[in-house]
Each structure stands twice: as C-alpha cells, then as structure tokens.
Amino acid sequence: MKSFPYSQRYQLPRGYEIEFTLDGSSFGCAWSPRVPTGKMAKKLTPAYREARNSFLASLGVPTMVIEL
C-alpha cells in the first residue's frame, strides 16, 4: 500500500510561512521566504512552536517533542 505525504501550511508573523510534511517516517518543514536567523528567529519561535504543535496534534497520535 502506497502512503501519501501529509502536509499543512501555516502563516507566521512578519510575512513568514512554514509548511510541515510527514511522508512515511520522514518529518520535515519548509520555510518561506527563507529560514529566519538572529533576532527574527527569536521573534518567530513562539509562532513556530504553536504551528508545529498544531501540526503534530492534527496527526491524532501521541507525540513528544524534544528541542535541543
């Protein structure tokens, strides 16, 4: 049986967007227009976490996130 990727796109503040994708056992994210750095990355962290948690919750399976 072929699996299809599952993805969702989220609008973040300051014109950023992130798309999370689960394809089999591979989890990834793509930023637009680019991956934020420095102060901008710190400002977007709460919105990123909220979007990530929403995506993971939409999977309907227990999930644990470990940030390093």
Side-chain angles (χ1 to χ4, degrees), residues 9-60:
R9 191 176 296 251
Y10 298 86
Q11 297 296 319
L12 302 180
R14 303 179 186 270
Y16 281 83
E17 184 177 84
I18 191 162
E19 181 177 20
F20 294 101
T21 303
L22 182 65
D23 189 359
S25 63
S26 178
F27 174 74
C29 67
W31 286 86
S32 180
R34 64 193 164 284
V35 175
T37 59
K39 289 180 182 179
M40 184 58 68
K42 285 185 178 187
K43 289 179 182 178
L44 290 174
T45 296
Y48 162 80
R49 287 179 176 148
E50 185 177 330
R52 180 200 62 204
N53 293 346
S54 177
F55 176 79
L56 293 173
S58 74
L59 299 174

